[in-house]
């Protein structure tokens, strides 16, 4: 959902179309009257109610952690329910709210949405407007219970007790792959059943992932526990966000949440980054990976190569690497060429700006692109 003034109206339309908890009189048969009544009581038990994985003091997934942090920044009191402790509530609430994932945030019984919507509304000031509009009081900072010395962010920014060097190293490792698994052993040789389980799940989902054997480096092993506020292994991260350990990953796979999170984060399933790069490289016989487009170059080197190709009368395809960071980084590894632009002919790298200009000045460019 796009951030901006339309968010609140979109959420209201969503609630209107699907029926808010107060308006809904008929629910799917799978949710009986007893469970419906219990869910209504839970949803309305606090002015602001968060259904999450874990507790505010100890969230069990990065998305729940984010919403908790947002509510603390908004300085509002809220109730919470750990959906990992009650599968009946967990599955029933998905049908009750017509919302398939968690966390779920409610205000005065009305569903606001999940993590992404809460973030967007918070950043645009709409969340505070909603709270004020529903008479939610802003609490004093001292009344908001913190979850730890770092304000409950699970060590994501400046975790206590870690050196700057180790913090930086952990961040680099976590972000070294879109999907990153810290495990005991290697994916092909797991050293514990829980690690083996997560590796198996990721392979079932056809997800390309990076891994780090925490048994090979005790500094990382102990430091990551503090950084993530997660005491055991394996630990799975998606786009730098902690998802959780083996139990949570298994539950997310069973409920379909894992596939949805991967899709929402733009993770390609069933296709490796290398496969995607190969397809792009071969989109056209002459293919230019550049900053910007041929009609609006975003750097002088890209502009030079575009002009050289046009002067030679060469037809070519192009890809703006500024629009896709994953492709940008993947192409550097694929070509073993660290800079852009990059020019390809029939899937083979010709080179960057300097090489292209040298070929152009020597009258060899068109010959090399027509062999």
């Amino acid at each position: 959902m796009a951030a901006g003034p339309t968010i609140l109206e979109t959420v209201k339309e969503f609630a209107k179309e699907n029926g808010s908890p107060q308006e809904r009189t008929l629910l799917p048969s799978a949710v009986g009257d007893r469970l419906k009544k219990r869910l209504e009581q839970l949803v309305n038990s606090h002015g602001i109610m968060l259904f999450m994985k874990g507790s505010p003091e100890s969230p069990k997934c990065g998305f729940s952690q984010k919403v908790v942090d947002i509510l603390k920044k908004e300085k509002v009191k809220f109730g919470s329910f750990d959906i990992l402790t009650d599968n009946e509530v967990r599955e029933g609430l998905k049908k009750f709210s017509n919302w398939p994932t968690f966390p779920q945030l409610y205000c005065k019984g009305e569903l606001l949405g999940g993590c992404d919507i809460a973030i967007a509304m918070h950043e645009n000031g709409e969340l505070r407007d909603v709270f004020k509009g529903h008479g939610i009081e802003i609490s004093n900072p001292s009344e908001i219970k913190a979850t730890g010395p770092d304000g409950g962010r699970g060590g994501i920014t400046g975790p206590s007790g870690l050196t700057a060097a180790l913090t930086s190293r952990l961040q680099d490792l976590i972000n070294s792959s879109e999907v990153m698994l810290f495990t005991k052993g290697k994916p092909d040789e797991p050293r514990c059943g829980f690690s083996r389980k997560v590796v198996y799940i990721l392979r079932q989902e056809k997800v390309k992932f990076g891994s780090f054997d925490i048994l090979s480096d005790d500094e990382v092993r102990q430091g990551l526990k503090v950084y993530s506020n997660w005491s055991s292994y394996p630990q799975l991260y998606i786009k730098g966000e902690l998802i959780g350990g083996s139990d949570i990953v298994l539950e997310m796979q069973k409920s379909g949440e894992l596939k949805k999170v991967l899709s929402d984060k733009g993770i390609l399933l069933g296709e490796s980054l290398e496969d995607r790069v190969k397809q792009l490289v071969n989109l056209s016989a002459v293919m230019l990976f550049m900053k910007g487009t041929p009609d609006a170059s975003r750097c002088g080197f890209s502009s030079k190569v575009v002009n050289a190709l046009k002067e030679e009368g060469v037809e070519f395809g192009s890809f703006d690497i500024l629009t896709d960071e994953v492709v940008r980084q993947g192409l550097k590894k694929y070509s073993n060429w660290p800079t852009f632009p990059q020019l390809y002919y029939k899937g083979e790298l010709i080179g960057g700006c300097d090489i292209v200009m040298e070929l152009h000045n020597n009258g060899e460019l068109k010959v090399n692109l027509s062999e």
Side-chain angles (χ1 to χ4, degrees):
M1 185 173 294
T6 61
I7 290 177
L8 186 55
E9 290 304 315
T10 304
V11 173
K12 288 180 178 178
E13 284 299 316
F14 176 88
K16 182 178 179 181
E17 291 171 5
N18 293 281
S20 67
Q22 290 92 340
E23 295 167 345
R24 197 181 281 111
T25 57
L26 292 175
L27 291 170
S29 58
V31 184
D33 290 339
R34 180 190 61 80
L35 179 56
K36 175 189 171 184
K37 184 176 180 180
R38 185 185 176 199
L39 293 176
E40 288 176 339
Q41 289 175 341
L42 284 171
V43 165
N44 290 283
S45 61
H46 293 80
I48 300 174
M49 187 66 184
L50 177 64
F51 292 85
M52 62 181 292
K53 293 180 180 179
S55 65
E57 293 76 19
S58 183
K60 295 296 186 182
C61 79
F63 304 107
S64 294
Q65 177 78 72
K66 277 191 171 184
V67 178
V68 168
D69 291 344
I70 285 171
L71 294 176
K72 288 178 178 178
K73 288 178 182 177
E74 295 285 352
K75 299 178 182 178
V76 292
K77 291 182 179 180
F78 62 96
S80 69
F81 186 92
D82 180 1
I83 53 92
L84 297 178
T85 64
D86 193 316
N87 197 56
E88 182 184 51
V89 170
R90 178 177 184 173
E91 296 305 318
L93 198 63
K94 292 178 183 179
K95 299 179 175 68
F96 181 87
S97 63
N98 194 23
W99 197 273
T101 60
F102 293 95
Q104 293 182 14
L105 180 63
Y106 291 78
C107 178
K108 295 287 186 174
E110 296 285 347
L111 174 68
L112 295 183
C115 180
D116 289 343
I117 290 179
I119 291 173
M121 294 179 71
H122 169 66
E123 290 177 348
N124 288 279
E126 296 181 49
L127 193 57
R128 176 156 296 189
D129 291 341
V130 170
F131 291 157
K132 286 182 178 179
H134 285 80
I136 302 297
E137 294 183 3
I138 305 299
S139 303
N140 294 323
S142 60
E143 295 176 351
I144 305 297
K145 186 177 180 181
T147 63
D150 57 356
R153 288 189 61 82
I156 297 303
T157 55
S160 175
L162 299 182
T163 65
L166 179 54
T167 299
S168 177
R169 186 183 176 204
L170 294 175
Q171 290 173 338
D172 288 343
L173 284 171
I174 288 171
N175 291 284
S176 62
S177 179
E178 289 185 306
V179 180
M180 188 65 186
L181 178 64
F182 291 84
T183 177
K184 293 182 179 180
K186 299 177 181 179
D188 293 333
E189 297 179 1
R191 300 285 295 278
C192 77
F194 301 109
S195 295
R196 186 185 305 276
K197 184 188 297 183
V198 177
V199 168
Y200 178 71
I201 288 172
L202 293 175
R203 287 178 171 170
Q204 272 190 320
E205 297 291 341
K206 298 181 180 179
V207 180
K208 186 179 180 181
F209 63 97
S211 68
F212 185 91
D213 179 4
I214 52 95
L215 298 178
S216 68
D217 192 317
D218 196 58
E219 182 184 51
V220 171
R221 180 180 185 175
Q222 300 304 327
L224 195 60
K225 292 179 182 179
V226 179
Y227 182 91
S228 64
N229 193 25
W230 196 273
S231 61
S232 60
Y233 292 97
Q235 293 182 18
L236 180 65
Y237 293 77
I238 297 179
K239 290 286 185 77
E241 295 290 341
L242 175 66
I243 299 301
S246 60
D247 289 345
I248 287 179
V249 174
L250 179 60
E251 285 294 327
M252 290 179 70
Q253 186 200 33
K254 287 181 177 178
S255 67
E257 290 179 56
L258 183 58
K259 193 179 291 291
K260 184 180 186 303
V261 169
L262 289 166
S263 176
D264 290 346
K265 293 290 184 179
I267 306 298
L268 297 173
L269 303 180
E271 178 187 48
S272 69
L273 177 56
E274 185 176 0
D275 291 335
R276 185 182 178 198
V277 170
K278 281 182 179 179
Q279 289 179 353
L280 288 172
V281 164
N282 289 281
L283 276 178
S284 177
V286 180
M287 190 69 188
L288 177 63
F289 292 84
M290 62 181 292
K291 294 180 179 180
T293 65
D295 295 328
S297 299
R298 298 286 294 278
C299 80
F301 302 110
S302 294
S303 181
K304 279 186 176 182
V305 175
V306 168
N307 291 335
L309 291 171
K310 288 181 177 179
E311 287 175 14
E312 297 284 356
V314 176
E315 293 185 1
F316 63 98
S318 68
F319 185 91
D320 182 2
I321 53 92
L322 296 178
T323 65
D324 195 318
E325 184 65 19
V326 174
V327 170
R328 179 179 185 175
Q329 299 303 326
L331 198 62
K332 291 180 183 180
K333 295 178 181 178
Y334 178 84
S335 64
N336 195 26
W337 195 274
T339 59
F340 292 95
Q342 294 181 14
L343 182 66
Y344 290 78
Y345 178 61
K346 292 185 176 180
E348 296 292 331
L349 177 67
I350 299 298
C353 180
D354 289 344
I355 290 178
V356 172
M357 294 310 298
E358 183 178 348
L359 290 170
H360 174 57
N361 293 333
N362 292 334
E364 300 175 10
L365 182 59
K366 193 165 187 177
V367 174
N368 278 271
L369 298 180
S370 59
E371 292 178 346

